[in-house]
Amino acid sequence: MKRAIPLHEAVELIPDGAICHVGGFMGVGSPHRLLSALAQAGRHDLTIVANDTAMPGRGIGKLISAGCVRRVIVSHIGLNPETQQKMIAGEIDVELVPQGTLVERIRAAGVGLGGVLTATGVGTRVADGKPTVEVDGRTFLLERPIHADFALLGAHRCDYVGNLDYTLTAHNFNPIMALAATTVIAEPEEIVPVGVIPPDAVKTPGALVDHVIGRMD
Amino acid sequence: MKRAIPLHEAVELIPDGAICHVGGFMGVGSPHRLLSALAQAGRHDLTIVANDTAMPGRGIGKLISAGCVRRVIVSHIGLNPETQQKMIAGEIDVELVPQGTLVERIRAAGVGLGGVLTATGVGTRVADGKPTVEVDGRTFLLERPIHADFALLGAHRCDYVGNLDYTLTAHNFNPIMALAATTVIAEPEEIVPVGVIPPDAVKTPGALVDHVIGRMD
Amino acid sequence: MEAKELIARRVAREIAPGSLVNLGIGLPSMVANYLPAELGVFFQAENGVVGLGARPPEGMEDPNLTDAGGGFVSAVPGAASIDSAMSFGLIRGGHLDLTVLGGLQVDAAGHLANWMVPGRMVPGMGGAMDLVSGAKKVIVAMLHTQKGRPKIVPECTLPLTSTRRIDLVVTEMAVIEPTEAGLVLRETAPGIGVDDVRAATAAALIVDGAVPQMELGQPAPV
Amino acid sequence: MEAKELIARRVAREIAPGSLVNLGIGLPSMVANYLPAELGVFFQAENGVVGLGARPPEGMEDPNLTDAGGGFVSAVPGAASIDSAMSFGLIRGGHLDLTVLGGLQVDAAGHLANWMVPGRMVPGMGGAMDLVSGAKKVIVAMLHTQKGRPKIVPECTLPLTSTRRIDLVVTEMAVIEPTEAGLVLRETAPGIGVDDVRAATAAALIVDGAVPQMELGQPAPV
């Protein structure tokens, strides 16, 4: 059983310089309370692995605006001009990864694979400096796993075993990131008693979840 | 929308010599009506990719007993002495694959990866004749994707879009196999109207499913 | 007819009944407006829904149901929520029948560039590289020129999205099919002649006999 | 006490509160009988359940809820159904705290052989290779000898399950820890002396001072 922790305790778990997987897609499905609190706490030199950096004032965008982030590994920054400005100013390193490759690289770290062999990016700039592997006459890029210190997840419901479910397009990277970090912190929209989420509806088994952020005061 | 087809039509789709992914774990979650009908129809030279060959008289075991199978790619045959006898007699070729490697090889075929880089089997007989790839100083086996002509799935519920869900330990290989075959045939325990399986409960989107076997007469 | 509407209407005619389709944001997303519901087409958005529907009436939006551009959408009956691994499993595993994407450049080899302008615009590739590499069919829907400069060029000067040859280019002037032999002019828009297309295209075009005019009506349901 | 019960009781003491554990079929599965529920241990079965519970009362079995051996089980409150990809993701991704497996041979390097006897028994490895390669901790629970022949040998003659050094061997005679230096005798069973263990073991054993006797009571809940 996992006791839910207050938001400020979750924030204290995450030090400056941490590498964080952050769930969400343009802010949908992100752990919004946790991201806001991290921005307010003035964390710095974070590495953020996520689909995108949302937009200014929303989700990961708050961390970008507050100067918390040193590096991002993302598929897209097109809707956050601040990320682009800070990239050009040399304040943030940006590694752009094709979205499907990004999710597979995170999954590889989570399920113990040595890397990802993908056709995506072959012959493009994405292939620069990367090894290739031939399988049955076809060429694939070897893309490396991405593990993180923390996975910061937005979930729909959570029980006190730590089981999570997700809803609609708020799934996105969350279920995969739950597998690929040393410490997994979930921010659910709702906490429910054990047994309310039936076994077939659980999408992240509680064994993967280290901390659950409690209800708002 | 997909009209459900009668069992005999599903059987007719599958020719002698077909390569078939078959869901199920010791028979739990297998498409039992379809496997019985295939055995009765006297199909031969099938290649079966599955976790195991169940036991005589159950699931895939019926295909083995009826002499339908020329080759199996499985993780375990320990509970089916007929498979072992036919292997020793040279009637069935058996490729044994570690269970986790097997599911990843099927998934790789299903999601378009060039292969699987895994630590499982390194330095054992499983590695014989297989290429290895070094990533960050660690050695991984390169295991090849396994695609099939057909995926024969046991599902819990199905709607007329072809959406599937699964229950308890009857999930097993089914959701992954749904991705990795030219033709996907699902045998649900129950067919329900569109909308009864809510979006968050769908585990195999109907777009992956080619044929649904109708209710019993 | 406005250029973008014309393009969207023409692309809509390429969509087979019952197929699984991904529409890029912007112009490509307009294609859905010209498809009859009876076709039973399912739209997939890479952020995680199969069965994307129209924007809901005001007040009925759900913050957890958006398209890949972040706009509110609805879910059609029979929709499925999926995570990013399944979403890109569908895309990269060859399960997507068609993707319609915007383009910055298409070249004589049928290569597409649509994800960055070095030194000027670096939005990132999002799912574009996966879509072009993985979908069964790729249609590029774009304006024929940008500020008068041709976007169909002998060889892309912008970074490629994929080395896969795309299947069709639809612009407000023409329908062009990249083939092994080069770019074949298949159709011209109403009021546009072959020479007009050639003048607006930097790459060589193969013209084989009379070039028919684009059909723009809705495809017939089957 | 019967040999297998003794082994199961001793292994049970190795299980940390709140941990995620996979028990092999046969002898290893007996370990669950000696664990107090208050420990909050979750059992995973590779066929797809986290939170495996005891066999249900007769008439309350569900054909879709079995363990990896095909036997009927129940699901504890908070259980999760998972597919094989997630199940082996947990195992291979290092999320499983402990696996307890049977063994045919363990050697001086701590290597385990438990999946085939060439020419005689080829059941297949099932999930064993994944479990030994992926679990955080691997305990082998087995009888010390088979038909009088030692199962702990200088070097495995049977095909290896993995080249990973397992963490502990528990038999009805002893607890042995494979280390870089070799096999260290950690405990002996009640009534068994160090020389008895040596006589039944073909590999060299390192004995460092007095060897304590196995504790067999239930671990204290935390």
Side-chain angles (χ1 to χ4, degrees), chain D residues 16-30:
Chain D
S19 57
L20 182 64
V21 176
N22 180 297
L23 301 177
I25 56 182
L27 165 51
S29 70
M30 293 172 56

Side-chain angles (χ1 to χ4, degrees), chain B residues 125-211:
Chain B
R125 286 198 175 197
V126 164
D128 290 354
K130 288 179 187 155
T132 58
V133 174
E134 301 275 323
V135 184
D136 294 332
R138 288 187 66 200
T139 301
F140 298 92
L141 292 189
L142 170 51
E143 296 269 13
R144 290 167 64 217
I146 307 178
H147 194 268
D149 301 322
F150 295 89
L152 312 182
L153 309 181
H156 181 222
R157 294 183 303 173
C158 180
D159 65 25
Y160 289 97
V161 163
N163 289 315
L164 307 179
D165 71 5
Y166 309 94
T167 188
L168 298 165
T169 54
H171 284 70
N172 55 69
F173 280 68
N174 287 298
I176 299 299
M177 288 173 165
L179 287 156
T182 306
T183 301
V184 175
I185 304 175
E187 178 185 313
E189 293 185 357
E190 194 183 353
I191 302 185
V192 297
V194 172
V196 169
I197 309 178
D200 290 346
V202 173
K203 293 187 177 175
T204 296
L208 291 169
V209 178
D210 297 291
H211 302 283

Side-chain angles (χ1 to χ4, degrees), chain B residues 57-80:
Chain B
R58 180 166 163 81
I60 296 168
K62 291 186 181 174
L63 295 180
I64 300 289
S65 304
C68 304
V69 181
R70 182 73 195 87
R71 182 164 181 241
V72 296
I73 303 176
V74 293
S75 80
H76 201 269
I77 57 171
L79 297 186
N80 192 333

Side-chain angles (χ1 to χ4, degrees), chain D residues 73-94:
Chain D
V73 294
S74 56
V76 304
S81 322
I82 55 179
D83 69 12
S84 296
M86 175 62 98
S87 184
F88 281 86
L90 294 177
I91 290 168
R92 292 153 60 111

Side-chain angles (χ1 to χ4, degrees), chain A residues 61-132:
Chain A
K62 291 185 180 174
L63 296 180
I64 301 288
S65 304
C68 303
V69 181
R70 182 74 194 88
R71 183 167 181 238
V72 295
I73 303 176
V74 293
S75 79
H76 201 270
I77 57 171
L79 297 187
N80 193 331
E82 287 186 9
T83 309
Q84 304 205 39
Q85 286 153 18
K86 285 172 191 274
M87 175 179 71
I88 292 162
E91 293 167 32
I92 295 183
D93 292 330
V94 176
E95 179 182 345
L96 290 171
V97 182
Q99 203 168 130
T101 298
L102 184 60
V103 69
E104 287 294 327
R105 289 178 67 186
I106 297 166
R107 181 177 185 275
V111 306
L113 299 175
V116 179
L117 299 178
T118 180
T120 298
V122 170
T124 74
R125 285 200 177 196
V126 164
D128 290 354
K130 287 177 186 158
T132 58

